[in-house]
Amino acid sequence: MLVFLIWLFISCSFIILGLYAFNSKKEAAFGFWANAEVFPVNNIKSYNRAVGKLWCTFGAVLAVLGLPLLKEQNSPYILLSILGVMAESIVAMAVYVTVIEKKYRKKS
């Protein structure tokens, strides 16, 4: 139960990050990659909303993937959580690169 609560806390952290980016009034683009400069964005508000939606979705799916942690201790269903998080992370990166970055990158 404690592990699930920690998992849920991390999921909620991603959702809060997404809500912050979604509702941001700043004229600065939120980055997706750690320690990397954000590319020139043509519409910062729409870009931040798209990134916010991505983080909220990521956090919600992450919370659902933690449900097998509520089973007994040596449950094989934990593999669903492990493989699910790996797949979810890859999908989130692919969506960011192929959809969000492609749509909001400023044309030179």
Side-chain angles (χ1 to χ4, degrees):
M1 183 68 165
L2 179 63
V3 176
F4 178 72
L5 291 176
I6 294 169
W7 187 285
L8 201 57
F9 175 76
I10 294 169
S11 301
C12 289
S13 298
F14 280 113
I15 293 171
I16 290 169
L17 175 71
L19 291 174
Y20 181 72
F22 188 83
N23 295 317
S24 177
K25 304 286 187 228
K26 286 191 212 178
E27 284 299 319
F30 279 84
F32 179 80
W33 306 107
N35 300 325
E37 293 291 323
V38 178
F39 57 88
V41 177
N42 59 13
N43 186 348
I44 293 175
K45 186 174 181 176
S46 296
Y47 168 80
N48 285 344
R49 288 171 98 52
V51 171
K53 287 178 189 177
L54 180 65
W55 282 125
C56 287
T57 305
F58 184 86
V61 172
L62 187 67
V64 171
L65 287 172
L67 290 176
L69 294 170
L70 293 174
K71 296 281 186 191
E72 63 271 359
Q73 185 172 358
N74 292 326
S75 174
Y77 295 117
I78 192 66
L79 289 174
L80 293 174
S81 296
I82 295 169
L83 298 175
V85 169
M86 289 178 8
E88 176 190 21
S89 299
I90 292 168
V91 168
M93 289 185 277
V95 166
Y96 179 79
V97 171
T98 59
V99 177
I100 296 174
E101 187 174 337
K102 189 175 182 181
K103 183 176 181 180
Y104 295 106
R105 182 178 286 275
K106 192 179 283 187
K107 308 282 190 266
S108 299

